[in-house]
Amino acid sequence: MMERSQWGSKLGFVLAAAGSAIGLGALWRFPYMTAEHGGGAFLLVFLILTLFVGMPLLLSEFVIGRASQRNPIEGFEYLGNKKAYRIFGWLGNIAVFLLLSFYSVIGGWILIYMIVAVGEMVNLIQLDNYGSAFEMIIANPLYVLVAQAAFIFLTAFIVAQGVQKGLERASKIMMPLLFGLFLIVIIRSVTLPGAMEGIKFFLTPDFSLISSEGILYALGQSFFALSIGATTMITYASYLGKEQNLTQSALSIVIMNVTISIMAGLAIFPAIASLNMEAAEGPGLIFIVLPQVFAEIPLGMLFYILFLGAFLFATLTSSISMIEINVANTIKGNEGKRRNMAYLFGFLVFLAGIPSALSYGVLSDVIIFGRSIFDNVDFLVSNILLPTGALISTIFVGYIIDRRITLGQLNIDENSKMFGLFKFWIFMLKFILPIIILIVFGVSIFG
């Protein structure tokens, strides 16, 4: 096996892995899910499930990645000693390829809205109805395809530079900027008149507002938010050296992800409450409600641009991990092929994403199972492929990998004080987490 690329530092890995997890899950999906399913109660349930369900699953993917030191396709075969296990890696490849095909569409929307917001700020563009404007923008084939192509090019360019010069360097720049930009927007949002009502809604649990359905959505959100089931974390962990503490790294990533989710809520809900606007607008919250909110605030468009900048950074750090999986599985350690493969997969993802990009315009009449093309791809990935990937990782570490390998990856021996926690973690992987995943899977499919 060729010498495999490595992360240059623990910080680089943690920021890159956190960046992979922090994206549309935290900044696009989490706010509107919170608004629709109970505010502070949803937040509390999400925090608990992320720590006690999401983190054990994340750790299992780290173990697979670093123990194999291979791409997911070869890694599953190597650790399981059966060629048939390669199918698990291929499922991850397919999942992230399809995920990026519609993820990049939203990335393109962000780029368009940054241009629109700048135009509004300098009085070159005037929008009276943000809902109608959003529908017009996503229905225009030229806008969405050019923006999607630009977003994918940015992603492929970063991946082409390599693990340390591309993924790690980009994450070290974009992740601190993400936190910094959010902090500026939060300060402005929480200091608006009447903002306290929004803060109370977001941070004060009222369990009368959350249903059993909301709890299941919170569990699904914990999977989505940590990028579990897509083999992205397996790929990133395969670049780790033996000196890294996997448990500490997993905890750091969970904390960063939860922090960004909370920051997103603090940036959005106080501003919405200040203007007495409705937060439960579903996926359009970022593109329809927030522009209206910021338009009513002094220098509001500037803060909206900063918010979109943070949103773009988070989306890019996720998308680079998705192309990286396919690149890693193809080059198999031969870094000389990286540049060509990064742009090739970028181009293929763009082609695959065209139907999703056009599904609100020229292909809006194409309805399958009552859903648009975009929504069908989203449903397939989020409700079928990602839960299946999470289930595979759980069962693989719980039942298939040699226990000595797992102990070695976590730096634990049978005489260690941590061995009891290890046994509990394995028990969770074998008996508890598969049931939870199957419940989420069943509810997602059958309601």
Side-chain angles (χ1 to χ4, degrees):
M1 186 174 66
M2 295 184 181
E3 185 177 352
R4 191 163 179 78
S5 296
Q6 296 280 313
W7 298 107
S9 65
K10 176 183 176 180
L11 177 63
F13 164 68
V14 169
L15 289 176
S20 171
I22 296 168
L24 295 183
L27 303 185
W28 179 59
R29 201 167 184 264
F30 177 75
Y32 78 78
M33 294 290 286
T34 303
E36 293 179 347
H37 297 287
F42 181 88
L43 172 63
L44 182 59
V45 172
F46 165 73
L47 294 178
I48 293 171
L49 293 175
T50 299
L51 184 61
F52 293 102
V53 177
M55 183 173 165
L57 288 169
L58 179 62
L59 191 57
S60 70
E61 296 200 351
F62 280 177
V63 167
I64 294 170
R66 189 171 69 176
S68 68
Q69 290 287 294
R70 289 163 170 80
N71 64 72
I73 293 174
E74 294 180 339
F76 278 110
E77 177 188 4
Y78 172 73
L79 294 174
N81 292 314
K82 286 186 180 179
K83 195 168 185 177
Y85 290 142
R86 293 170 69 92
I87 188 62
F88 299 155
W90 278 111
L91 283 174
N93 253 41
I94 294 169
V96 294
F97 187 87
L98 291 175
L99 176 57
L100 186 55
S101 74
F102 76 85
Y103 197 99
S104 60
V105 174
I106 304 171
W109 295 351
I110 299 170
L111 292 175
I112 292 172
Y113 262 74
M114 290 190 75
I115 295 171
V116 170
V118 171
E120 280 204 277
M121 187 173 68
V122 297
N123 296 318
L124 290 178
I125 298 175
Q126 292 291 331
L127 296 181
D128 297 322
N129 188 314
Y130 287 95
S132 299
F134 180 65
E135 292 176 2
M136 181 273 293
I137 287 171
I138 65 176
N140 187 301
L142 180 62
Y143 290 171
V144 293
L145 290 179
V146 170
Q148 181 198 12
F151 180 83
I152 290 178
F153 174 79
L154 283 173
T155 302
F157 175 78
I158 293 170
V159 173
Q161 309 311 306
V163 174
Q164 291 188 24
K165 293 182 179 180
L167 279 66
E168 185 169 350
R169 180 180 294 173
S171 299
K172 283 183 175 180
I173 294 171
M174 288 191 286
M175 289 303 291
L177 282 173
L178 171 63
F179 280 94
L181 291 174
F182 255 122
L183 189 59
I184 294 171
V185 176
I186 287 170
I187 291 172
R188 185 67 188 104
S189 183
V190 301
T191 54
L192 292 170
M196 187 55 65
E197 288 303 312
I199 296 173
K200 287 180 180 178
F201 170 77
F202 181 55
L203 297 182
T204 304
D206 181 353
F207 290 100
S208 67
L209 298 178
I210 192 169
S211 63
S212 56
E213 180 187 41
I215 293 172
L216 286 171
Y217 274 118
L219 183 58
Q221 176 64 21
S222 71
F223 291 175
F224 196 95
L226 290 176
S227 197
I228 292 169
T231 67
T232 52
M233 294 305 184
I234 294 176
T235 302
Y236 274 21
S238 71
Y239 300 131
L240 269 179
K242 294 181 179 179
E243 70 281 358
Q244 303 281 13
N245 186 303
L246 294 185
T247 305
Q248 288 180 1
S249 296
L251 181 60
S252 298
I253 290 163
V254 167
I255 290 172
M256 290 179 69
N257 190 282
V258 165
T259 300
I260 282 292
S261 295
I262 293 174
M263 292 178 79
L266 290 175
I268 293 171
F269 292 114
I272 289 174
S274 174
L275 297 174
N276 294 313
M277 299 188 71
E278 182 61 51
E281 287 288 340
L285 175 63
I286 300 295
F287 300 108
I288 299 175
V289 177
L290 284 189
Q292 298 178 62
V293 171
F294 284 105
E296 299 297 325
I297 300 171
L299 297 177
M301 278 300 108
L302 174 61
F303 288 101
Y304 185 52
I305 292 168
L306 294 176
F307 180 89
L308 289 174
F311 194 12
L312 177 64
F313 291 150
T315 309
L316 273 172
T317 52
S318 293
S319 64
I320 60 179
S321 70
M322 298 179 205
I323 285 189
E324 176 61 25
I325 290 175
N326 290 279
V327 170
N329 282 332
T330 304
I331 66 176
K332 299 179 181 180
N334 185 350
E335 290 295 313
K337 297 180 179 179
R338 170 176 288 276
R339 184 178 297 273
N340 289 339
M341 288 299 103
Y343 289 116
L344 173 61
F345 277 109
F347 179 69
L348 293 176
V349 166
F350 171 74
L351 293 180
I354 289 176
S356 292
L358 299 179
S359 64
Y360 295 105
V362 296
L363 298 180
S364 61
D365 292 334
V366 180
I367 303 297
I368 304 170
F369 303 121
R371 291 185 289 264
S372 67
I373 297 172
F374 181 98
D375 291 334
N376 270 294
V377 178
D378 185 1
F379 182 87
L380 173 62
V381 174
S382 302
N383 297 325
I384 298 177
L385 295 178
L386 293 186
T388 299
L391 183 63
I392 287 170
S393 295
T394 301
I395 293 174
F396 197 81
V397 176
Y399 289 96
I400 298 174
I401 293 182
D402 189 308
R403 189 62 49 83
R404 290 169 296 182
I405 293 176
T406 308
L407 284 167
Q409 290 302 313
L410 299 176
N411 298 317
I412 296 173
D413 61 55
E414 295 185 2
N415 298 318
S416 169
K417 294 180 180 179
M418 299 297 292
F419 187 63
L421 285 176
F422 173 81
K423 290 196 296 183
F424 177 72
W425 176 62
I426 292 294
F427 177 82
M428 290 276 291
L429 293 180
K430 294 177 71 173
F431 303 109
I432 305 299
L433 297 182
I435 294 174
I436 292 174
I437 293 170
L438 287 172
I439 290 173
V440 174
F441 184 86
V443 171
S444 298
I445 300 299
F446 303 109

